[in-house]
Amino acid sequence: MTHHTRVPLRLSTLVLAILSTTVLGEGYGLASANRDNLKTEAWQCKRCVSNTGTHGTIGVGVAHNDGEDSHFGNTSGTDKDGVVASLEGDIHHRAASGYQTHFTADKLGYDNGFAQLTTGKPGQYNISAAYRAIAHYDTNQALTPYHIQADAWQLPQQWQTGATTAQMTDLQSSIQPTSLQVERDRYNLDASYIGSFYRAELGYQYEQRQGHRRASGNLLTNSTMLTERIDDATDNVTAKIYLNGTNWLAGIETQLSHYKNDQQALRWQSAFTPTFGAAYSGQNAVSPDNKAYRIAGNTQLSSGTQHVLMHIGFTRMTQDQSYLPATINGPSPVLPTDNLAGQVDITEMKLNYSGRVSRALSLRASYDYRDRDNKTQVDRYPQIITDSYLSGYAHNLEYDRTAQQAKLAAKYRLNRAAYIDIGYDYDHNNYSDLDRQSLQESTLFAKIHYRISTQWQVWLKASGSDRTGSEYSPVSTTVSPSNPLLRKSYLADRERQRYGLYGSYATGAFSASANAHWMQDDYTDTLIGLTKVDTQGYDLSAQYAVNDNINLNAFVNQDWRDSDQAGSSNFGAPNWYATSAAKSTLIGAGLDYANLLDNKLKLGIDYTYADGQNDTEVIQGLRSPYDSYYSTRHTLNTFANYQISDKFGLRFDWIFEQYQDADWANEGLAPNSIPNVLSFGDLSHDYNAHYFGLTLSYQL
């Protein structure tokens, strides 16, 4: 059958070629046709659709949050009570000349919202302006008697100090709930231009943050939980230019960043009666103003299947904000300089190669170099403990680091259905002022991938690494020296094994994927510190299109992490041990149902369950299990989208969330539960909350 099918096709092709050559040779080609008397007025392409003009949707929405805990705002996008208005949009305008303008907006007006306007001519130039609001909500139930006055946290005028929190007679009548949340407003302005052999880009970003976050103040043996005010801004300017030719690309990138903090210090009035002296207030430093600039060059060369990428970059970070006094309680020791005059230089170089040696074999190789050089002057600084007394002097350390990483890998295709991928990675780090001066890690990995059929494929990946380093010598320049037997986990010798098994299936209407992973870390030479970590888990997901109208999806993920730790309470050999078992579960399912009620109604529902818990047990002669830390969340997200007419649509959204978390150490905690700590109280969450949204859209 195949043989008889191909002969007519080849014969017809040959005949067509002969006829075309003959006709064109005699002047009967299409280009030579006489078109003077053609009447094209009635010609019409009934299937052609013009893309010029303005298309899209614009909408306005109103929403209502029904929940007392601001933490729900991380799900709904806003923590505002009552009705919240928003703008939605997706509008595209195309002119006949090729110029295009696109406007999009998503929940603009919420604490988490977005809008962007882009205009230009594709392939020539593009200008974009964007705004994004980002908010994170911690709690609105932090209890404190403090209020801000004259840029400092002050107590009520009638406040009576006490040696302990139980003796603060005005505490219960003075505490008020306060919110801990951070809001960002981010503005972007970007432009790009594409020439015949180059591309240029220019961008500016301004981000402003406001809000409050957790902080603490200490005066000798007494501590106070405080809300640190956030009021800062960052300017970021970037510029790029790239030149391109046949088989090559080269460019330069520059970046300038300036961070400015309008808060100069965290100042507070002490709620405690001074233990001795006259420490009635305290002051902590906050993030200082700083600047950074960066310049980098990139080159890419290609020849057939061979590709080389080269990169070199330089970054300088500076900080010269004036110092605060070493203490405000009593005479302040003289500081060596007025400001840090800090300067850190970072140099980076990268070289990547990828290429195909043969039809079956391809290679990859890379080398990365990164050097951090702290050029800040080393001085002798007084050490003031809890803003109360001088404990001695110490030098600011450099913490320089030089990191080098080399990688080599090869991929070999065994046949059309299978290939193997093997490689070797080597990391080398040199440090200053740490417990180890150098650290090296070697990693071997291998992957085999097999396509069972056009629908099924599986692959297995395994790796093993070994980390060692120079002689371990605990730093002795700090006020609190380390136990000589302690090995910090990021510097300790470690053996790591990692395995992963993956599979996927896909057919016309159904697709699914699954993987299982396991990793073990052994800190072979650690007597005190982290000694072992085991991690394992799996993921399952599936999507199914029942028909043109109904789509289903579901997923489940679980992970376990078990760790062992050894410690010493007498600065000697280990005499206590701890085990920690953490587990996380994430389950979800969703349904979309379209074209109901004469193709006017679409419904959707998504459900997510998340659970995490951590159990810790300490063994020091006797077993002492701690209660659990846990968090549990059920989230139901539903919508109904109804097309009222050809132009108007109405969408209804409902979100329900049930959330609960608890830390055994803080469960039932009151601001005066700890004698020498004035706390925020119990900051755990336990709520049921609803979000109702209604959006009216108009089709342009």
Side-chain angles (χ1 to χ4, degrees), residues 355-550:
R356 179 175 294 177
V357 180
S358 66
R359 295 186 62 181
L361 178 64
S362 60
L363 299 177
R364 306 185 306 275
S366 66
Y367 171 75
D368 290 358
Y369 172 88
R370 185 179 178 89
D371 179 72
R372 180 188 186 275
D373 184 10
N374 188 349
K375 295 186 176 181
T376 306
Q377 180 178 340
V378 177
D379 285 311
R380 185 170 175 264
Y381 288 88
Q383 303 296 291
I384 305 297
I385 302 300
T386 63
D387 213 1
S388 299
Y389 67 93
L390 178 65
S391 66
Y393 290 81
H395 291 84
N396 56 307
L397 302 179
E398 294 179 340
Y399 297 115
D400 289 338
R401 177 188 179 187
T402 300
Q404 300 179 76
Q405 184 182 72
K407 296 182 178 181
L408 180 62
K411 179 180 177 181
Y412 184 77
R413 183 165 293 279
L414 302 172
N415 51 49
R416 298 185 64 181
Y419 69 83
I420 59 173
D421 195 4
I422 59 175
Y424 172 74
D425 298 346
Y426 176 74
D427 287 298
H428 186 96
N429 293 272
N430 290 329
Y431 304 100
S432 70
D433 304 312
L434 292 182
D435 297 333
R436 283 186 129 164
Q437 297 304 305
S438 66
L439 202 66
Q440 305 89 38
E441 183 171 11
S442 297
T443 303
L444 283 171
F445 72 86
K447 173 185 175 182
I448 182 167
H449 185 282
Y450 181 62
R451 182 178 292 276
I452 302 173
S453 66
T454 56
Q455 292 83 27
W456 279 100
Q457 60 179 331
V458 296
W459 60 100
L460 172 67
K461 186 173 183 179
S463 65
S465 62
D466 182 39
R467 187 175 71 187
T468 60
S470 61
E471 181 181 355
Y472 204 96
S473 179
V475 174
S476 58
T477 55
T478 60
V479 176
S480 302
S482 300
N483 187 322
L485 300 178
L486 173 67
R487 298 293 181 264
K488 298 172 182 177
S489 60
Y490 64 95
L491 294 175
D493 290 353
R494 184 191 66 194
E495 295 178 356
R496 168 174 289 178
Q497 301 177 62
R498 180 182 293 173
Y499 303 94
L501 177 62
Y502 307 83
S504 66
Y505 174 83
T507 184
F510 178 77
S511 63
S513 63
N515 74 74
H517 51 272
W518 176 79
M519 185 177 71
Q520 183 180 73
D521 290 345
D522 285 324
Y523 295 86
T524 53
D525 296 327
T526 295
L527 292 178
I528 296 178
L530 191 63
T531 58
K532 187 177 182 180
V533 178
D534 286 336
T535 305
Q536 55 271 332
Y538 69 91
D539 296 277
L540 300 172
S541 64
Q543 301 82 36
Y544 179 51
V546 179
N547 52 43
D548 292 340
N549 300 325
I550 303 176

Side-chain angles (χ1 to χ4, degrees), residues 255-258 290-295 313-319 341-348 370-371 373-375:
Q255 181 178 358
L256 175 64
S257 177
H258 183 198
N290 58 78
K291 298 178 181 179
Y293 71 81
R294 180 176 184 268
I295 184 169
F314 175 80
T315 302
R316 172 163 291 176
M317 299 178 289
T318 60
Q319 189 265 103
Q343 177 180 318
V344 175
D345 292 342
I346 298 176
T347 303
E348 58 191 53
R370 185 179 178 89
D371 179 72
D373 184 10
N374 188 349
K375 295 186 176 181

